[in-house]
Structures are given as structure tokens and as C-alpha cells.
Amino acid sequence: MENNKEPLSLIIIIIGFMVLLNLVLEVHSAEKFTITRHDFPNDFVFGSGTSAYQWEGAADEDGRTPSVWDTYAHDGYVHGGQNGDVACDGYHKYEEDVKLMVESGLEAYRFSISWSRLIPNGRGPVNPKALEFYNNLINELINNGIQPHVTLHNFDFPQALEDEYGGWISRKIIRDFTNYADVCFREFGDRVSYWITINEPNVFSLGGYDQGNGPPHHCSPPFCNNKSKRGNSTTEPYLALHHILLAHSSAVRLYRTKYKEKQNGFVGISVYSFGFFPNTTTEKDILAAQRARDFFVGWVMEPLLHGDYPTSMKKIAGTRIPTFTDRESKLVKGLIHYTNLNITDNSLVLESNLRDFSADMAVLMHGSDLFANAEYPIEPWGLIEELNHFKLNYGNPPMFIYENGQRTASNASLQDVSRVKYLQGYIGATLHSLRNGSNLKGYIAWSFIDLFELLDGYESSFGLYYVDRNDPELKRYPKLSAKWYSWFLKGRSFAVEAIELEKDPSHISIDHFFD
């Protein structure tokens, strides 16, 4: 760290647990107790979030060009051939959504900027219509007392850069991303204090460049989940993440040298993390659980903290994993968590000469399907365990929980009691960890409204607000969880059974759409 008071980057934690544990943990679920907003420090922020392609819509309006996520969706890789062309129409309805945020009592709102809207060709001229939109959105938030938290890259870099040089597999993108970040810091940094460079770089690299189940859909046989005509699963995931780390580091250095003194903000990266637990108490499974952690979390965290990849990764991947120069190692020195997994050793796979990232990890993972639409079990002790791990092993950096929410099928009821129980449990776990010394700065529930999801399209939902897609105006309706979260933020607390939506005609009619 260059400065004890200012880490190179914030660690951003995105939590959305699905916990399946066979072992008994010493850390148990937080006791059932009633909490209020007043139990948290005044400078601890609560909010909710969305991302550009999932929320904005207006895909071909006002100069925006396709991103790799547009291409991925239009190539038919999302459930039912769905896409984000309209999404939630946030581009036109942002004022309405901010009004709902105000009514809900949100203190912070996390959103992402569409690179292909702001700089349509990936580099070069800035789109004035995009500047106008994002300035209007940020101003609307600020004027209503809501703190903006902005992500620069959320699975959606410009298709133009993918076509020109292959996107993140080329070092050229480091310069282009830094220039894009420069535009954002310059144009919006006087009002935005919290920046996330890249969202879930480990998941993005694995899905987009190994398995082919995410944009930009690179993979090679026999490792593809979806057929692709391009990519090399044995090398590209490592190469893409390597360039992401260098681009993140470049953007952080730019901010520090050019903007930090005047804007006094923070730049971080979000890292996806599972909770890794050995499936048995055998030495092989214990070592396999640590190896899985090295490959998922250490892959990003170790370079940011120590300037190099974990020893286990370098030993297994060999020359397929890039190396940092001495200069890069000094410059690079930043969690996203959706589920806990039970890990079983699978070292026999290392005998094969043809391996991708997953085979290099040499483990079998036992857990729920991240991309189904089943609800998550409510087991908040997993959050406590993961936060404690970061406190003990990564120097207790400043952390935001940027995504935490319950998944339901899109045809579920507005009476989303499971989501309320989920929020209660994990907010309670957050308070427990805060009191136990974790350096937590905020909790951002995922998501503010029902969005377009990466693989599931509109078939599953995380939103506090329901979006009626049968209505041309995409009318929003509060779910039970929106009411509860609002009451919580305003200092009140209720047992789940005591909260009910008012039975007005609009709620009744929407319930009909769920039938």
C-alpha cells in the first residue's frame, strides 16, 4: 500500500448467498433479533442498484452503439432469445425511478455507465447525448440526497473494440479503458465519489473467455457451454483478467495523479467470491478448498495486494498464465460473493495436457445453480464467515456489500416474503460483522427493480419493485420487500408476518399478471 490511510482500491463485495454446507461451522447464523437503521453508524450507507444494459434500454438511441452484451443477447444465448433493447427503459424513466428511490428512503444508488453509449466507438469522440443523460441522472440523485456509486464496466464493453482487436485479450484495451475512465472522472467526478472500475472480473473472464456462457462468448472445444467460433479456453481467461488488472491499476493511477486531490473520491474493483468449504475433513479436500479460493479470489486479490498470482495457480497453469514485469508488479498492488460451495479434490484431471481454467483448479464443486430461478436458502452465517476471512487475510480493507438479494421467479407474487426474510437475515449478518470489526462502509441491496438478467433474461427477478412488461409504460409496483426496506431505512422495524402491502386495485391487478 502506498498510503496507510488510502488503499490502492476499495474492495467491493457483492453478496447474494446460496449456501449449501455439509460441515458444521463454528460461526452460526446471527441470532434472530430486531434491528433498525439506527443500529448502524451514521456514515454507513444503505441503497440499491442496477446496471446499464440491465436497466437503461434505448439500445440504439442517441448515438449508442452495441456492446458485447448486446451481441451476446441478439445471438440467442439468453433464455428465450430475450435481450436488453428496452430492459426497464431507465434511459427515459430515470426521473420516475429516482422518485421511487426517494420514497423508499435510499441513501445510495449503484449504477453503471455504458461505455458504448458514452464513447460509441470505444475511443475518440464523446457522445454529447450520453453526457447529458448521465449528468441528468447524477444530478437527479444528488439533488434528492442520494449518493451515486458508479461502475465503469459491467460485462458490456463496446463491440467495436471486440471487432477491432479482440477486447480484453489485447493489451490495447488498457489504453482505451484508461481514456474512457478519464472521461468519466473528468465529466462526473465532481459529484461521484465512489467508482468501481470492473465488475466481477473473475466471473467475466471465466464466463466470457473460457466457458462461453457470457459476453463476449469466447471458448474452445471441449470446454464450451455454448458453441463458439473463436477463443482459446486454455489461455484467454488468464490473459483477459491479466489485462483487466493492468487496466484497473492504470485507472487508479490516473485518478490519484489527476483527480484525487480535487475530487477526493475512491476507486475500487469488485471481486466475485464463493464461500469455499471442504466437502469432507480429508486433507485432499481441505487443500482443494484452498486451491479453489486461490483460483477464484486469489486470482484477483493476490496481485492487487502482493503484485503476483497465487503460487498454486502459477504452478498448475505454468506458462499459460501471464507474468507481471517488475514495474507492473509494483503498479498493480483491490469481493463479490453469491454462494458457498462444498469442494472435493479432483487432482486426477491435472494428468490431462489439455486443460482450461476450471480443469486447472482440479476440484469438484457442489452447490446450487447460480443461473436457475430457484430461491436462495437464507443462511447468513456464510456472509459472516466470508467477511471475517477478508478481515483476517486481506488486511481488513474498506468494503461495500454491493449486491445482496433474493432471487425469485418472475411470475412470483408481489408478496415476496422470502425476499424480506432474506434481507433481514443478511442485514443482521452485516451488523454482526460490523460489530466484529469488519471495515464495512455500506450495504446495497440487489436489485432496485426487476432487471434483464445475464442468462435468464426476464425469467427471474431480484427487484424490490416489479416491472409490468405487459404495460407499454413498464409501470413499476412496489413489492413487499420495497415496503419493508423503506420502513427499515426510516427507522422502523417489523416482523415479516406483520408487513402486508395495502390492497389497492393496482396491486390486485398486478397479482393477476403473476397467475
Side-chain angles (χ1 to χ4, degrees):
M1 299 294 179
E2 295 180 5
N3 185 321
N4 290 334
K5 294 183 179 180
E6 182 189 349
L8 181 63
S9 55
L10 295 170
I11 310 299
I12 309 305
I13 303 189
I14 299 185
I15 310 290
F17 275 86
M18 300 186 302
V19 184
L20 290 177
L21 299 180
N22 292 331
L23 302 180
V24 178
L25 300 179
E26 294 182 359
V27 180
H28 298 285
S29 176
E31 295 181 6
K32 292 182 179 180
F33 59 94
T34 300
I35 61 174
T36 72
R37 172 66 179 91
H38 304 304
D39 291 313
F40 292 80
N42 290 334
D43 59 354
F44 185 98
V45 297
F46 281 92
S48 193
T50 65
S51 82
Y53 189 67
Q54 296 177 274
W55 173 70
E56 285 182 7
D60 59 356
E61 292 185 37
D62 292 341
R64 182 188 182 275
T65 62
S67 72
V68 291
W69 199 343
D70 292 79
T71 302
Y72 180 79
H74 281 274
D75 284 348
Y77 296 114
V78 179
H79 181 91
Q82 298 169 344
N83 59 64
D85 287 1
V86 177
C88 304
D89 199 24
Y91 188 76
H92 300 109
K93 299 176 74 69
Y94 70 92
E95 291 175 296
E96 176 185 335
D97 285 345
V98 173
K99 183 178 179 181
L100 294 178
M101 296 175 205
V102 174
E103 293 174 358
S104 300
L106 295 193
E107 301 157 4
Y109 174 59
R110 178 200 176 206
F111 66 96
S112 71
I113 290 174
S114 168
W115 186 351
S116 61
R117 187 183 298 282
L118 187 63
I119 307 176
N121 294 319
R123 73 167 73 87
V126 176
N127 179 3
K129 287 290 187 179
L131 282 179
E132 180 182 4
F133 167 66
Y134 291 116
N135 273 316
N136 287 343
L137 172 59
I138 292 168
N139 290 339
E140 192 74 13
L141 293 168
I142 296 293
N143 292 339
N144 284 281
I146 299 172
Q147 186 181 88
H149 289 238
V150 179
T151 300
L152 299 180
H153 180 286
N154 194 84
F155 290 75
D156 60 346
F157 68 90
Q159 181 65 39
L161 300 185
E162 171 70 12
D163 294 339
E164 181 181 344
Y165 52 66
W168 286 106
I169 62 173
S170 170
R171 291 184 69 96
K172 294 179 180 178
I173 201 169
I174 299 170
R175 177 196 60 206
D176 288 337
F177 181 81
T178 304
N179 291 335
Y180 161 55
D182 193 10
V183 172
C184 293
F185 297 153
R186 182 183 72 235
E187 298 293 339
F188 313 124
D190 57 328
R191 290 149 293 157
V192 175
S193 296
Y194 295 95
W195 298 94
I196 305 94
T197 54
I198 294 99
N199 184 57
E200 304 181 11
N202 42 359
V203 171
F204 172 70
S205 298
L206 179 60
Y209 295 91
D210 181 356
Q211 300 171 346
N213 58 2
H217 191 228
H218 287 212
C219 65
S220 59
F223 307 110
C224 294
N225 286 345
N226 294 309
K227 291 183 179 179
S228 176
K229 297 179 181 179
R230 58 189 173 181
N232 184 336
S233 298
T234 69
T235 58
E236 286 191 4
Y238 297 113
L239 190 61
L241 190 128
H242 191 74
H243 295 151
I244 285 172
L245 291 176
L246 293 174
H248 165 75
S249 175
S250 178
V252 170
R253 291 197 312 277
L254 169 73
Y255 188 84
R256 284 193 166 184
T257 58
K258 192 173 179 180
Y259 298 102
K260 176 68 175 177
E261 183 176 355
K262 184 176 181 179
Q263 297 180 357
N264 201 32
F266 301 88
V267 183
I269 192 170
S270 61
V271 185
Y272 187 107
S273 174
F274 295 99
F276 299 95
F277 299 92
N279 198 43
T280 71
T281 57
T282 63
E283 182 179 3
K284 283 187 176 181
D285 283 0
I286 292 171
L287 292 174
Q290 181 55 50
R291 187 166 62 247
R293 182 180 289 281
D294 286 347
F295 269 75
F296 268 96
V297 180
W299 191 18
V300 179
M301 290 300 301
E302 292 296 320
L304 293 177
L305 292 175
H306 305 302
D308 202 2
Y309 297 111
T311 300
S312 62
M313 292 190 73
K314 294 192 294 182
K315 181 179 179 180
I316 293 172
T319 58
R320 290 181 291 115
I321 191 168
T323 58
F324 294 104
T325 66
D326 289 342
R327 179 178 180 272
E328 289 171 344
S329 179
K330 293 176 182 177
L331 293 175
V332 167
K333 302 178 185 173
L335 165 83
I336 296 182
H337 184 116
Y338 267 85
T339 183
N340 284 11
L341 297 172
N342 292 332
I343 305 298
T344 301
D345 179 70
N346 187 33
S347 296
L348 289 177
V349 72
L350 297 178
E351 296 178 5
S352 172
N353 291 325
L354 182 63
R355 300 193 307 271
D356 66 343
F357 176 91
S358 298
D360 285 341
M361 196 166 15
V363 301
L364 297 175
M365 298 182 178
H366 313 279
S368 296
D369 184 356
L370 272 177
F371 304 111
N373 59 13
E375 294 184 4
Y376 299 155
I378 302 170
E379 297 170 315
W381 65 80
L383 171 56
I384 295 171
E385 188 81 353
E386 192 64 19
L387 291 173
N388 192 55
H389 175 84
F390 265 70
K391 181 181 70 174
L392 296 177
N393 293 281
Y394 293 122
N396 201 21
M399 297 178 286
F400 284 86
I401 298 172
Y402 262 143
E403 289 185 22
N404 181 229
Q406 177 64 285
R407 176 179 59 193
T408 59
S410 61
N411 62 349
S413 171
L414 288 179
Q415 300 284 345
D416 56 343
V417 174
S418 66
R419 184 168 286 112
V420 175
K421 290 181 177 179
Y422 186 99
L423 291 171
Q424 287 181 325
Y426 288 96
I427 290 174
T430 300
L431 181 60
H432 177 101
S433 296
L434 192 63
R435 289 174 170 172
N436 198 37
S438 289
N439 193 8
L440 293 169
K441 301 300 182 182
Y443 176 95
I444 310 296
W446 187 262
S447 57
F448 181 63
I449 61 177
D450 289 346
L451 303 169
F452 174 81
E453 296 297 330
L454 177 61
L455 296 183
D456 211 24
Y458 303 108
E459 300 304 306
S460 64
S461 66
F462 290 82
L464 303 174
Y465 285 81
Y466 167 70
V467 178
D468 180 8
R469 302 198 178 279
N470 293 318
D471 183 343
E473 297 299 318
L474 297 174
K475 186 171 175 61
R476 283 80 155 122
Y477 294 89
K479 301 179 187 178
L480 180 64
S481 55
K483 293 287 188 180
W484 180 85
Y485 198 41
S486 177
W487 285 333
F488 167 74
L489 295 180
K490 294 172 183 176
R492 299 169 62 186
S493 62
F494 292 85
V496 174
E497 294 76 15
I499 313 171
E500 292 184 357
L501 284 174
E502 296 176 6
K503 293 294 185 180
D504 64 39
S506 64
H507 297 147
I508 295 172
S509 65
I510 289 301
D511 280 338
H512 172 73
F513 289 139
F514 288 125
D515 291 341

